[in-house]
């Protein structure tokens, strides 16, 4: 059933196409336009199967994705490590092929940015920053981040935001037609990259989390990888006292998200336990860390009596503080490292990395 809002938007589209001078003639074709509109603007959600109104058609989704990808590459650039890029691409492809929209031209890319972030563009373009990669401890956590973004694309959360935004702009356009003084309020221009950094709502986040758990488990990784990421980044945020995790600006960390994830995992019929820790560590060795050109990810074998403070000061040459070092390794600040463990370190690029 076409609702009042949808009818108004279809009428507005007719108005934009035919112009106000020909509105009366266009009105005669309203029934036909409604039929066309229902076909193009009412689409089945790939996740729920339910019909929903959208202003982002499949063609528009792909076009916006290509444009956003070009803008991302121009603004930040991609991280210059072909082996690591291919690794992330393969992890993402594996889950995308097992998802509700395997036909999309999926792309998974590492952005050359030190900020801790990940985001999705329409049409299956997924990005993760090298800053976030540095804070992940294994392949299951990487899969968790990518799967969450895949969930947003598959559930058409970006398309829903786009439709709400442009529906509101349509209303303002009508106001401007009849009230010229309001013409400065808004425009129809697409927001480009800004569209990728609008905050998702709580329900969208929980749905993307739920979908991610399914993708991760289906592909054989420990599905708790995603909740481990949220815990680590929550510690990073708390330790700094500032907004150092841009991912939380667009993907709010509500108090119940980790609990909800853990509850979903407990109800899985089968729960894989593979984390892919060693493979992940092999690929991120030498990863650039922070804004400087010389700091890289390396590894250190913990000795008897070592503390985070001592390791950060001596072995790490004071590249990062003790609290950040603990969090970088997935530990609470209060838990000291265990002798014999190989931990991530931040080292100077010219030094030998164990």
């Amino acid at each position: 059933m076409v609702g009042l809002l949808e009818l108004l938007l279809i009428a507005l589209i007719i108005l934009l196409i035919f112009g106000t001078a020909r509105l009366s003639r266009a009105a005669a074709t309203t029934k036909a336009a409604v039929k066309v509109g229902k076909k193009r603007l009412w689409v089945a959600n790939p996740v729920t199967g339910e019909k929903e109104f959208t202003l982002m058609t499949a063609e528009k989704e792909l076009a916006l994705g290509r444009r956003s990808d070009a803008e991302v590459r121009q603004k930040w650039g991609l991280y210059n490590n072909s082996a690591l890029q291919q690794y992330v691409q393969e992890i993402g492809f594996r889950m995308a092929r097992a998802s509700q929209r395997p036909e999309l031209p999926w792309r998974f890319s590492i952005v050359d940015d030190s900020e801790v972030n990940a985001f999705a563009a329409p049409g299956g373009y997924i990005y993760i920053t090298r800053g976030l990669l540095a804070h992940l401890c294994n392949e299951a956590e990487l899969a968790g981040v990518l799967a969450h973004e895949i969930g947003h694309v598959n559930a058409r959360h970006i398309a829903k935001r786009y439709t709400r935004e442009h529906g509101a702009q349509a209303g303002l356009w009508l106001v401007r037609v009849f009230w010229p003084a309001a013409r400065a309020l808004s425009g129809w221009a697409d927001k480009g990259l800004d569209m990728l950094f609008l905050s998702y709502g709580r329900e969208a986040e929980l749905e993307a989390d739920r979908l991610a758990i399914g993708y991760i488990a289906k592909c054989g990784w420990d599905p708790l990888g995603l909740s481990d990421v949220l815990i680590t980044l929550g510690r990073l945020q708390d330790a700094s006292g500032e907004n150092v995790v841009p991912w939380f600006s667009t993907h709010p960390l509500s108090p119940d998200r980790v609990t909800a994830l853990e509850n979903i995992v407990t109800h899985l019929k089968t729960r894989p336990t593979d984390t892919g820790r060693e493979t992940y560590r092999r690929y991120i060795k030498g990863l650039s860390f922070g804004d400087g050109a010389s700091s890289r990810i390396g590894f250190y074998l913990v000795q008897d009596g070592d503390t985070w403070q001592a390791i950060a000061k001596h072995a790490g040459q004071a590249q990062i503080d003790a609290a950040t070092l603990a969090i970088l390794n997935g530990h609470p600040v209060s838990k000291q490292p265990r002798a014999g463990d190989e931990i991530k370190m931040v080292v100077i690029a010219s030094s030998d990395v164990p």
Side-chain angles (χ1 to χ4, degrees):
M1 189 71 179
V2 180
L4 178 60
L5 175 60
E6 288 79 10
L7 281 172
L8 287 173
L9 288 172
I10 291 171
L12 177 58
I13 291 169
I14 295 172
L15 184 63
L16 290 170
I17 294 173
F18 292 98
T20 55
R22 300 165 63 187
L23 182 58
S24 59
R25 184 169 51 174
T29 65
T30 298
K31 291 184 71 173
V34 168
K35 289 182 180 179
V36 174
K38 286 182 69 174
K39 184 176 181 180
R40 287 182 58 80
L41 304 180
W42 279 81
V43 299
N45 185 289
V47 170
T48 66
E50 297 178 356
K51 292 284 187 177
E52 58 188 26
F53 178 75
T54 184
L55 291 177
M56 186 184 285
T57 62
E59 296 83 1
K60 180 72 169 177
E61 183 179 12
L62 294 175
L64 285 176
R66 288 191 294 269
R67 192 186 76 180
S68 297
D69 184 59
E71 292 178 357
V72 167
R73 290 167 181 264
Q74 181 178 17
K75 181 173 182 178
W76 289 289
L78 301 186
Y79 185 58
N80 187 22
N81 184 321
S82 59
L84 185 56
Q85 290 280 3
Q86 182 63 31
Y87 172 63
V88 170
Q89 181 91 307
E90 290 173 356
I91 298 296
F93 272 153
R94 186 168 159 185
M95 292 182 292
R97 286 193 292 264
S99 76
Q100 292 87 351
R101 305 179 74 185
E103 77 286 353
L104 285 179
W106 294 94
R107 290 190 183 183
F108 300 85
S109 305
I110 306 167
V111 176
D112 191 10
D113 187 14
S114 62
E115 288 195 332
V116 179
N117 205 359
F119 53 95
Y125 293 82
I126 309 294
Y127 306 92
I128 183 170
T129 63
R130 60 174 173 83
L132 179 49
L133 282 178
H135 287 83
L136 304 181
C137 292
N138 54 53
E139 205 169 80
E141 293 185 7
L142 170 60
V145 173
L146 299 180
H148 181 90
E149 299 301 333
I150 292 171
H152 280 308
V153 173
N154 285 340
R156 289 181 58 83
H157 292 154
I158 303 171
K160 291 176 182 178
R161 291 190 314 195
Y162 179 93
T163 298
R164 286 194 300 268
E165 177 103 358
H166 285 254
Q169 289 184 5
L172 286 174
W173 189 91
L174 282 174
V175 169
R176 293 200 305 275
V177 168
F178 298 103
W179 182 32
R183 288 179 182 171
L185 290 178
S186 180
W188 267 89
D190 290 331
K191 291 196 170 186
L193 287 180
D194 289 345
M195 177 181 61
L196 308 185
F197 300 105
L198 297 174
S199 180
Y200 292 105
R202 177 180 178 276
E203 292 305 316
E205 281 302 283
L206 293 177
E207 182 175 33
D209 284 346
R210 176 179 58 79
L211 291 169
I213 291 297
Y215 305 148
I216 302 166
K218 191 173 183 178
C219 291
W221 289 292
D222 184 351
L224 283 179
L226 179 55
S227 60
D228 289 342
V229 173
L230 295 179
I231 291 170
T232 293
L233 299 188
R235 288 172 180 155
L236 183 63
Q237 188 91 315
D238 292 341
S240 69
E242 300 176 2
N243 184 22
V244 295
V245 184
W247 199 44
F248 286 159
S249 298
T250 54
H251 302 68
L253 181 61
S254 58
D256 59 344
R257 271 189 71 187
V258 172
T259 301
L261 278 168
E262 292 172 346
N263 287 338
I264 294 171
V265 171
T266 59
H267 288 89
L268 290 175
K269 292 182 179 179
T270 57
R271 177 194 159 185
T273 57
D274 181 28
T275 64
R277 180 177 181 270
E278 296 309 315
T279 302
Y280 183 76
R281 292 163 78 86
R282 185 170 69 250
Y283 274 101
I284 66 164
K285 183 178 180 180
L287 177 71
S288 296
F289 184 85
D291 295 324
S294 63
S295 296
R296 307 278 173 154
I297 293 294
F299 298 98
Y300 171 79
L301 188 64
V302 179
Q303 307 297 311
D304 286 331
D306 271 343
T307 63
W308 295 120
Q309 291 80 2
I311 297 171
K313 182 178 180 180
H314 300 294
Q317 300 173 299
Q319 293 295 297
I320 58 173
D321 60 66
T324 303
L325 182 60
I327 295 167
L328 196 69
N329 284 279
H331 290 286
V333 177
S334 59
K335 182 180 179 181
Q336 293 298 333
R338 185 176 57 184
D341 284 350
E342 187 182 58
I343 63 169
K344 282 186 292 182
M345 278 292 307
V346 177
V347 299
I348 297 175
S350 58
S351 64
D352 293 331
V353 179

